[in-house]
């Protein structure tokens, strides 16, 4: 698979990188299941709808103005569409209480969108009907009314895992616990910023609760098995402009990877000349590692500067230890984390044979923001 554009781009920036610093060998830390029967299917299913991607030059700038809204007074349901976005069979779902009190009770909402944000469905649940049966009804209604039916439904909220899993168990789509709910995260941020605070029962104190239960923070990352270990890696960066509409990197040239959308409300404040921080992994087993990553719901990388580790995050709460950091790497990792903070958690990973080859897989990722 040849993607000369992305390859030459990375080559330029890796060359710049190499002239200023160095590529590091992984410690023995780097490694996952030797065989995953779902490799090829996961990789192909997660990217099959990308092949028909059409380019919309003004895609996101016009999006807000083009949202159409329909709601009915008997159920508190709001459905909006963005006609400039191509509908996707990969859906994203959340069901949770919001920082709003309605008639003395917390407001509960179901939010459903797809990975391109082509539609948004918000339905409030009465507090005595927060159960899997009611959630399944909302999901099945949405599927019945959808032109493009979902093949995968992702959900990130671990606190609601059981209820969402039960609701999805009889739905004709794959339930995927995942932090790759990029369109949903952006929508939740918008609602937290501009919708909930305007509601009469808004409680700012309820809005500041952390997204992750504290017990999750004591997790120990799992070591990746030798079969998938990368030999070398480098902290690298690419211009944000290359990921925007008209840039060189799009869904058609990222191998088995995925791209977090960077349009709409999210990203409009970022400077035009910003650089996205990333990690290039060089390995003789690039194809195997890329296809394994494609099946893991890869959601991000973070450097734990205190423990001096580079960690990969997958699914809702899995973590893999990728490398241990020495003093110099720790400095580079600190710059990587700082760059992520400047761009709302945005970063990328590229898996390739060497610094001269096309990526076998390329992912533009975003950490789920705290407190959504």
């Amino acid at each position: 698979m040849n993607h000369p554009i992305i390859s030459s781009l990375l080559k330029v920036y890796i060359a710049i990188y190499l002239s200023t610093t160095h590529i590091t060998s992984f410690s023995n830390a780097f490694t996952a299941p030797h065989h995953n029967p779902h490799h090829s299917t996961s990789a192909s299913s997660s990217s099959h709808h990308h092949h028909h991607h059409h380019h919309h030059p003004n895609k996101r700038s016009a999006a807000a103005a083009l949202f159409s809204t329909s709601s009915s007074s008997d159920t508190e349901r709001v459905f909006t569409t963005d006609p400039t976005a191509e509908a996707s069979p990969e859906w994203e779902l959340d069901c949770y209480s919001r920082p709003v009190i309605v008639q003395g009770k917390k407001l509960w909402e179901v939010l459903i969108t797809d990975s391109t944000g082509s539609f948004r469905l918000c339905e409030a649940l009465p507090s005595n009907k927060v159960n899997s049966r009611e959630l399944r009804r909302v999901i099945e209604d949405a599927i019945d009314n959808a032109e493009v039916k979902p093949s995968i439904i992702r959900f990130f909220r671990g606190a609601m895992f059981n209820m969402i899993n039960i609701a999805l168990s009889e739905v004709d789509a794959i339930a995927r616990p995942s932090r790759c709910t990029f369109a949903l995260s952006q929508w939740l941020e918008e609602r937290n910023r501009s919708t909930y605070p305007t509601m009469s029962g808004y409680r700012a104190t309820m809005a500041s609760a952390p997204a992750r239960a504290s017990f999750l923070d004591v997790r120990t990352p799992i070591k990746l098995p030798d079969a998938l270990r990368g030999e070398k890696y480098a902290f690298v960066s690419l211009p944000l402009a290359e990921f925007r509409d008209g840039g060189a990197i799009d869904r058609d040239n990222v191998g088995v990877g995925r791209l977090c959308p960077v349009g709409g409300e999210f990203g409009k404040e970022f400077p035009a000349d910003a650089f996205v921080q990333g990690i290039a992994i060089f390995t003789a087993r690039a194809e195997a590692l890329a296809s394994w990553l494609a099946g893991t719901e890869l959601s991000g990388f973070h450097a734990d500067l205190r423990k001096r580790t580079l960690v990969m995050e997958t699914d809702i709460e899995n973590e893999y230890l990728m490398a241990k950091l020495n003093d110099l790497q720790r400095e580079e990792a600190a710059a990587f984390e700082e760059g992520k903070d400047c761009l709302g958690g945005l970063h990328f990973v590229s898996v390739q044979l060497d610094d001269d080859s096309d990526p076998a897989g390329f992912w533009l990722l975003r950490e789920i923001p705290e407190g959504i």
Side-chain angles (χ1 to χ4, degrees):
M1 198 181 292
N2 263 353
H3 314 308
I5 297 175
I6 192 168
S7 154
S8 53
L9 249 182
L10 271 169
K11 229 174 282 184
V12 169
Y13 289 101
I14 288 173
I16 293 169
Y17 177 87
L18 288 175
S19 65
T20 55
T21 167
H22 65 295
I23 289 181
T24 310
S25 289
F26 273 108
S27 71
N28 297 339
F30 194 159
T31 43
H34 290 270
H35 173 66
N36 178 340
H38 306 300
H39 278 179
S40 52
T41 52
S42 311
S44 56
S45 69
S46 70
S47 57
H48 74 269
H49 71 283
H50 296 330
H51 299 319
H52 310 292
H53 181 64
H54 303 296
H55 210 60
H56 300 286
N58 301 318
K59 188 163 177 179
R60 284 299 173 191
S61 52
L66 289 165
F67 268 108
S68 65
T69 308
S70 64
S71 59
S72 50
S73 52
D74 51 327
T75 67
E76 293 184 52
R77 172 190 290 195
V78 180
F79 184 80
T80 62
T81 57
D82 174 2
T84 67
E86 188 183 4
S88 163
E90 300 191 18
W91 284 18
E92 302 175 5
L93 162 78
D94 187 39
C95 175
Y96 204 57
S97 61
R98 310 301 177 199
V100 176
I101 300 291
V102 180
Q103 295 170 342
K105 301 273 176 65
K106 276 184 184 178
L107 169 67
W108 280 81
E109 285 177 337
V110 179
L111 301 184
I112 304 175
T113 185
D114 63 2
S115 63
T116 56
S118 77
F119 76 90
R120 288 174 167 182
L121 168 68
C122 170
E123 182 162 338
L125 292 182
S127 54
N128 62 340
K129 287 192 175 177
V130 178
N131 57 50
S132 55
R133 196 173 57 249
E134 199 65 15
L135 176 57
R136 184 182 301 138
R137 176 192 61 75
V138 176
I139 296 165
E140 287 178 340
D141 280 357
I143 293 174
D144 288 346
N145 293 316
E147 283 180 37
V148 176
K149 309 293 182 196
S151 57
I152 289 174
I153 302 179
R154 292 185 171 91
F155 61 97
F156 74 91
R157 206 174 289 278
M160 300 298 293
F161 180 88
N162 288 344
M163 193 178 106
I164 294 175
N165 222 25
I166 293 166
L168 290 174
S169 63
E170 290 172 41
V171 170
D172 187 20
I174 298 165
R176 203 49 81 69
S178 170
R179 284 172 282 183
C180 298
T181 49
F182 304 126
L184 179 63
S185 297
Q186 291 177 22
W187 182 20
L188 273 165
E189 281 184 298
E190 287 172 33
R191 291 184 70 75
N192 278 310
R193 193 169 52 241
S194 36
T195 303
Y196 304 133
T198 64
M199 298 169 106
S200 57
Y202 178 67
R203 299 286 186 276
T205 49
M206 288 165 57
S208 57
R212 276 155 70 151
S214 56
F215 71 85
L216 291 179
D217 297 335
V218 298
R219 289 167 298 174
T220 305
I222 313 158
K223 288 189 177 182
L224 277 169
D226 297 346
L228 291 164
R229 201 171 73 216
E231 284 87 24
K232 294 178 178 149
Y233 73 99
F235 289 104
V236 292
S237 60
L238 286 169
L240 175 63
E242 299 297 355
F243 297 102
R244 293 192 185 277
D245 284 341
I249 302 168
D250 61 36
R251 290 175 181 166
D252 298 324
N253 65 10
V254 293
V256 293
R258 297 185 67 209
L259 296 175
C260 162
V262 287
E265 287 288 307
F266 173 68
K268 72 174 185 191
E269 304 296 322
F270 300 155
D273 60 353
F275 271 73
V276 183
Q277 300 300 311
I279 294 165
I281 297 173
F282 307 111
T283 170
R285 297 177 292 269
E287 296 290 334
L289 178 57
S291 79
W292 182 76
L293 290 177
T296 63
E297 293 298 311
L298 171 63
S299 62
F301 281 75
H302 76 263
D304 186 324
L305 301 177
R306 196 171 51 80
K307 294 180 184 166
R308 294 173 171 261
T309 54
L310 181 63
V311 175
M312 177 178 85
E313 301 189 345
T314 67
D315 310 306
I316 285 187
E317 57 184 46
N318 285 345
E319 294 190 335
Y320 290 92
L321 179 62
M322 303 301 280
K324 297 232 158 107
L325 306 170
N326 65 24
D327 287 351
L328 182 60
Q329 293 155 357
R330 189 176 177 276
E331 279 178 38
E332 293 175 349
F336 170 75
E337 286 298 329
E338 201 176 307
K340 273 166 51 181
D341 288 347
C342 292
L343 294 180
L346 208 60
H347 60 294
F348 69 85
V349 60
S350 180
V351 176
Q352 48 201 98
L353 200 58
D354 52 40
D355 59 344
D356 225 23
S357 59
D358 301 319
F362 184 102
W363 287 260
L364 180 64
L365 305 163
R366 186 192 177 202
E367 284 182 352
I368 283 196
E370 286 294 310
I372 61 169

